[in-house]
Amino acid sequence: MIPRYSRPEMRNIWSQENKFKIWFEIEAHACDAMANLGIISTKDAKAIWKAQNIDFNVDRIAEIEAETKHDVIAFLTHLAEIVGNESARFVHQGMTSSDVLDTCYNIQLTRSSDILLCDLSDLINVLKRRAFEHKNDIRVGRSHGIHAEPITMGLTFARFYAEMERNLKRMVNARNEVATGAISGAVGTFANIHPHVEEYVCEKLQLTPEPISTQIIPRDRHAAFFATLGVIASSIENLATEIRHMQRTELQEAEEFFAKGQKGSSAMPHKRNPILSENLTGLARLVRMTVIPAMENVTLWHERDISHSSVERNIGPDATIFLDFALVRLTNLVDQLVVKPENMETNLKKNRGLMMSQRILLALTKAGISREEAYRLVQHNAAKVWENDKDFKSELKKDSEVMALLSERQIDEAFDMSYHTKHVDTIFSRVFTDNLR
């Protein structure tokens, strides 16, 4: 993983050094459990722990693997070099490589999840602060990229807050989904290892024993996990895309913070580009590209094959490291986002009142004509605004058919902006039920 898009804490979870440390803990706890059962002596079990504070030699393990063509055997050989063959002969008794690999993989995923949960919480807190900060700042809502009706910037932030709250819950469920371990031996029958060993190791490593494994932990768990990461990545892109749109020169309703000394373009000194939002769009694609391979890993031959292995060695670190980086970047982006209410007000005026067309439509139907006839009258006057740069309210007041049904006061009232924000408090009370300010 390139350092540019990774943070140390998450990257360390997937380091070779940390992986071998987890492998050792699995093996050492398994020895303790076998000692509890009287299968091996307590003395031999304790001897394994001599390697607890020793940094495993990654290069030495790679050297052994070059000969054995088997990573777990290479690790066990190196472990024997540290603790001595006499005690090491009891390591890995009745276990398969998958017992170590799968349990370790799920530990790495759960620890990665803990970081991602913290990331999501930080983002949610920032979105909440910005929502209340701009709760009543009116901006035009758009559908299909076209002016629709007024909303507020606070509602925009609140929408993404609610989306990330849902993602937080999904992430909790995804973590629980993969927080299992399996020490069940060949084809998962416990023929050569007692179920107590699995229960003991899982308890020590804060996992739940897999109810039924084959020779591996079922991969539908991992498919659900990576699918959740993909959904979160899509939500990141959703928010990033909104920011990119708001920063367009034609809108300028918000923009990424531009630091002193920052450069936007190598050729055009005036440029301030939404580079962080665009970067987040790219990172979201990288996270989502791990979802389909994770789904395809569900289908394996009989009790196991290793078609999933090469996939997982890549998508595990890639997806979690990219998502961690993206969430932190997005949090900082939203925290420092420069919101421009004055430009929001300018944009509101650009459609010359057209955003109130539905209010006029409803007023006309209440005045006694059919919806079809009311729609015809409103659209006819709206067309003058589109095509001849007219003012919508003025055109309505000049239309004899409209004035035969509505008074000037009724038309003026239909253009009251506060009409569209009267339920903002209600929406906020629904979204921010824990701490409405």
Side-chain angles (χ1 to χ4, degrees):
M1 184 58 56
I2 61 173
R4 186 181 184 92
Y5 300 125
S6 63
R7 301 195 315 133
E9 187 179 4
M10 184 68 86
R11 190 168 64 240
N12 289 342
I13 289 175
W14 297 99
S15 69
Q16 289 288 87
E17 292 82 1
N18 188 58
K19 180 183 74 172
F20 292 138
K21 182 177 182 294
I22 297 171
W23 285 10
F24 166 75
E25 290 174 354
I26 293 168
E27 296 284 5
H29 285 309
C31 287
D32 285 345
M34 287 188 280
N36 293 341
L37 295 169
I39 296 172
I40 67 174
S41 71
T42 302
K43 177 183 176 183
D44 286 319
K46 288 182 177 179
I48 305 303
W49 286 100
K50 288 193 299 184
Q52 183 175 14
N53 297 316
I54 296 175
D55 292 331
F56 292 99
N57 190 324
V58 175
D59 291 337
R60 174 58 181 151
I61 295 172
E63 179 186 346
I64 300 169
E65 185 182 355
E67 179 182 349
T68 63
K69 313 299 183 189
H70 197 292
D71 54 354
V72 175
I73 291 176
F75 167 76
L76 294 172
T77 301
H78 181 51
L79 179 59
E81 293 174 341
I82 297 172
V83 303
N85 288 325
E86 180 60 28
S87 296
R89 64 195 175 98
F90 297 109
V91 175
H92 205 69
Q93 278 203 11
M95 296 168 60
T96 72
S97 298
S98 295
D99 291 330
V100 178
L101 295 171
D102 282 13
T103 303
C104 173
Y105 191 57
N106 280 8
I107 289 171
Q108 290 173 302
L109 291 177
T110 55
R111 292 178 183 175
S112 298
S113 298
D114 292 337
I115 293 176
L116 295 174
L117 287 167
C118 288
D119 295 342
L120 281 165
S121 294
D122 290 342
L123 175 58
I124 286 167
N125 289 335
V126 169
L127 285 167
K128 181 175 182 177
R129 177 176 64 78
R130 299 311 303 262
F132 279 96
E133 182 182 348
H134 297 286
K135 178 180 177 182
N136 297 309
D137 290 343
I138 300 176
R139 65 188 291 243
V140 65
R142 299 170 175 87
S143 56
H144 307 279
I146 308 300
H147 283 202
E149 294 188 352
I151 58 170
T152 74
M153 183 64 87
L155 289 175
T156 299
F157 282 119
R159 168 166 63 95
F160 291 114
Y161 169 94
E163 186 171 346
M164 291 302 174
E165 276 265 290
R166 293 192 293 274
N167 282 327
L168 183 69
K169 295 174 183 177
R170 292 181 182 118
M171 193 68 239
V172 169
N173 291 334
R175 185 195 188 282
N176 293 336
E177 187 83 12
V178 295
T180 65
I183 312 290
S184 54
V187 300
T189 61
F190 296 102
N192 293 299
I193 192 165
H194 197 282
H196 167 75
V197 177
E198 180 182 77
E199 294 165 3
Y200 183 90
V201 171
C202 287
E203 180 183 359
K204 290 294 183 181
L205 297 173
Q206 299 180 316
L207 300 174
T208 299
E210 184 62 47
I212 178 170
S213 54
T214 54
Q215 195 160 309
I216 62 167
I217 291 173
R219 259 43 192 185
D220 61 288
R221 294 186 180 276
H222 304 83
F225 181 87
F226 285 97
T228 297
L229 301 192
V231 171
I232 296 172
S234 292
S235 293
I236 290 172
E237 184 177 12
N238 190 20
L239 175 48
T241 300
E242 178 67 21
I243 293 171
R244 291 170 66 188
H245 279 309
M246 288 193 290
Q247 188 161 336
R248 288 164 50 217
T249 305
E250 292 79 8
L251 269 65
Q252 274 295 294
E253 293 182 354
E255 68 176 0
E256 296 178 6
F257 176 74
F258 199 81
K260 183 178 180 180
Q262 183 175 339
K263 304 293 188 292
S265 166
S266 63
M268 295 167 283
H270 74 279
K271 295 292 291 297
R272 291 188 176 188
N273 302 326
I275 57 171
L276 299 179
S277 303
E278 292 173 342
N279 171 254
L280 288 169
T281 297
L283 290 172
R285 294 170 184 168
L286 290 171
V287 175
R288 284 197 302 268
M289 77 179 186
T290 68
V291 177
I292 296 301
M295 297 286 183
E296 292 174 340
N297 279 351
V298 174
T299 304
L300 300 171
W301 286 21
H302 302 297
E303 279 60 56
R304 82 151 302 185
D305 63 50
I306 65 164
S307 59
H308 65 287
S309 177
S310 58
V311 175
E312 290 174 349
R313 290 173 191 265
N314 286 279
I315 66 173
D318 282 359
T320 54
I321 289 173
F322 282 140
L323 190 60
D324 169 51
F325 184 89
L327 285 168
V328 173
R329 169 158 285 185
L330 181 59
T331 299
N332 292 331
L333 193 167
V334 174
D335 183 51
Q336 299 183 77
L337 188 70
V338 180
V339 177
K340 300 184 174 183
E342 66 281 3
N343 288 347
M344 286 153 41
E345 183 177 356
T346 298
N347 289 333
L348 280 166
K349 297 174 182 178
K350 285 182 178 177
N351 65 26
R352 300 175 297 283
L354 284 178
M355 68 182 73
M356 302 303 183
S357 68
Q358 183 176 194
R359 289 215 68 196
I360 299 298
L361 172 69
L362 296 175
L364 287 170
T365 58
K366 289 176 182 177
I369 63 174
S370 70
R371 180 180 177 84
E372 290 72 19
E373 181 62 14
Y375 198 102
R376 181 189 67 78
L377 287 173
V378 174
Q379 191 175 45
H380 170 70
N381 285 284
K384 299 175 187 177
V385 180
W386 280 112
E387 296 161 11
N388 302 311
D389 289 337
K390 301 293 184 178
D391 178 75
F392 186 47
K393 186 196 291 189
S394 299
E395 292 305 309
L396 289 169
K397 289 182 178 181
K398 289 191 291 186
D399 189 313
S400 59
E401 290 184 272
V402 173
M403 296 307 295
L405 295 161
L406 300 176
S407 67
E408 284 199 16
R409 179 181 177 183
Q410 286 176 303
I411 292 175
D412 288 338
E413 287 176 349
F415 282 77
D416 178 9
M417 195 73 72
S418 64
Y419 174 87
H420 290 277
T421 61
K422 62 181 180 293
H423 293 304
V424 170
D425 283 339
T426 299
I427 298 171
F428 266 56
S429 68
R430 290 178 172 184
V431 174
F432 304 103
T433 53
D434 59 327
N435 186 26
L436 182 64
R437 291 185 291 185

